[in-house]
Amino acid sequence: MDTGIKDITRAVTAAAVTELLGARPRVLALGEPTHGEDSLLDLRNDVFRQLVEREGYRTVAIESDCLMGLVVDEYVTSGTGTLDEVMGRGFSHGFGASAANRELVRWMREYNEGRPASERLRFAGFDGPLEITGAAGPRQALTALHGFLAARLAPDLLPCTAETLDRLLGADDRWTHPAVMTDPARSVGRTAEAGELLLLADDLVALLEAETPHLIAATSRDDWERARLYGRTATGLLRYHYWLADTSPGRMTRLLGQRDRMMADNLLALAERGPTLVFAHNAHLQRHKSTMRMWDHPLLEWWSACALVSARLGEEYAFLATALGTIRHQEVDTPPADSLEGLLYALPEDRCVVDGTLLAGLLGDWPPAPRESPWFGYMPLDPARLTGIDGVVFVKDVPQV
């Protein structure tokens, strides 16, 4: 078995990935099985640089707030702001504190210096303005979309005024109170005002699409795409808040599914721009259904972001899932020899990429049992799901930084 696996391993390079996939997908997803380990982000940075230089990739998207990501994109494309400001304001989930993310942004800005717009690298967050404990209100996205349209279209075309939106939105803390996640009664997502806002948001998005030729000519395609992002985010957040107010047993399933749907919509929009490297947790990138146990809920199941993307893009979507040997500072020690990670750990390489389909074939009809992690923050690969993975990137040891 070890010899067979060794025969299908390659170094983790853009050339090896291209050889493994046989084509350049529009969306190439590189997953991580845990957050917060800069050595995995350093690997991502290396792969992205090579994809830029060898394969013509121009966009990297990470699992961070899509609106905050606009701050980073503005910096890497035009130098607006300072690196310190961008790292402080351009990332959610605490990702701005990562040295590897800082190096990515620095390098992208350096690469873009002096290049024409068509050759510049782009940065995107593709998560919604969401955290596990709650969601942002729709004000920023909704008022930005309205402002874009109001500045360029006749007033009688718009379904409402800015003053109407402000009245219906009310105080922002009504939307963002931390108790809302666990107490549906605290949510304003099913009030009459929220229902009217969703109808208005849909009308504003429809108007944006209907006036596409004029709006692109009057501004630019980039400005129009940003307005589309505002529209997706506004309607997505309003639907998320609608389900926050739900009291049925399906509440958490709908919330998890809505978050991944927002991610998927953002990725499909980025794919229209050109080849994109996506970096996020394996769970958001897999083609199979996602599962989670949360609080006192039974097992929750929903389609991940890239299950939706893969269904739309077909062979133009590819997924490389990362698996790890050890994270000793989190008490994740040497994997059992008969586990999938144990078989890969026996290889001499510190990091490598293995064809997922060929690996599944070598393991046969009775794959090894899934590895059990002593730390909740690390999710081992399920060997039974290798058929939905194009390649496994294996990192032998994750050092403490």
Side-chain angles (χ1 to χ4, degrees), residues 19 26 47 53 171 185 203 226 321-322 328 330 356 385:
E19 181 182 348
R26 274 200 281 166
V47 170
E53 294 162 358
D203 284 345
R226 178 178 290 207
T322 298
R328 299 191 192 280
Q330 298 291 0
R385 291 187 165 185

Side-chain angles (χ1 to χ4, degrees), residues 231-242:
R232 290 194 302 274
T233 305
T235 56
L237 281 173
L238 285 164
R239 290 189 172 94
Y240 191 90
H241 281 282
Y242 177 88

Side-chain angles (χ1 to χ4, degrees), residues 12-13 25-26 72 95 111 167 174 268 332:
V12 187
T13 64
R26 274 200 281 166
V72 185
F95 294 158
Y111 181 94
R167 174 180 59 79
R174 298 192 314 145
L268 289 168
V332 179

Side-chain angles (χ1 to χ4, degrees), residues 151-393:
R152 295 162 181 86
L153 300 175
D156 59 354
L157 287 178
L158 273 72
C160 66
T161 64
E163 291 73 22
T164 297
L165 289 182
D166 185 63
R167 174 180 59 79
L168 292 171
L169 285 163
D172 289 340
D173 59 7
R174 298 192 314 145
W175 300 89
T176 58
H177 195 286
V180 170
M181 177 53 74
T182 54
D183 183 3
R186 297 296 299 267
S187 173
V188 297
R190 295 196 178 184
T191 60
E193 293 86 355
E196 189 173 350
L197 283 169
L198 181 54
L199 291 174
L200 290 172
D202 282 337
D203 284 345
L204 288 168
V205 170
L207 181 60
L208 175 70
E209 297 294 339
E211 294 291 331
T212 292
H214 165 70
L215 292 169
I216 291 178
T219 57
S220 67
R221 180 168 291 274
D222 279 351
D223 289 340
W224 175 76
E225 287 180 349
R226 178 178 290 207
R228 290 180 74 201
L229 171 61
Y230 291 139
R232 290 194 302 274
T233 305
T235 56
L237 281 173
L238 285 164
R239 290 189 172 94
Y240 191 90
H241 281 282
Y242 177 88
W243 288 108
L244 278 172
D246 185 44
T247 57
S248 77
R251 177 178 184 260
M252 286 308 305
T253 298
R254 294 304 295 261
L255 289 172
L256 292 166
Q258 177 61 15
R259 179 190 179 193
D260 273 82
R261 180 191 165 187
M262 292 174 70
M263 288 182 168
D265 288 345
N266 285 334
L267 289 177
L268 289 168
L270 291 172
E272 294 176 10
R273 181 190 294 170
T276 298
L277 175 69
V278 179
F279 185 79
H281 198 284
N282 287 333
H284 293 300
L285 307 182
Q286 64 188 8
R287 292 181 171 97
H288 296 91
K289 266 194 168 181
S290 295
T291 59
M292 178 187 290
R293 293 194 182 276
M294 181 178 288
W295 304 319
D296 57 349
H297 293 274
L299 184 68
L300 303 171
E301 293 185 291
W302 73 100
W303 290 109
S304 71
C306 285
L308 302 175
V309 170
S310 178
R312 293 279 293 275
L313 295 185
E315 294 182 355
E316 291 189 285
Y317 173 73
F319 172 35
L320 305 177
T322 298
L324 307 177
T326 72
I327 321 174
R328 299 191 192 280
H329 54 281
Q330 298 291 0
E331 299 184 354
V332 179
D333 291 321
T334 304
D338 59 351
S339 66
L340 173 61
E341 286 87 349
L343 293 171
L344 296 171
Y345 197 81
L347 297 172
E349 293 83 5
D350 289 330
R351 62 190 201 185
C352 61
V353 61
V354 187
D355 186 300
T357 301
L358 295 180
L359 181 57
L362 282 176
L363 296 176
D365 296 331
W366 300 98
R371 179 188 188 185
E372 296 292 333
S373 173
W375 177 48
F376 75 94
Y378 167 56
M379 183 183 296
L381 285 187
D382 183 349
R385 291 187 165 185
L386 282 174
T387 53
I389 297 172
D390 298 293
V392 175
V393 174

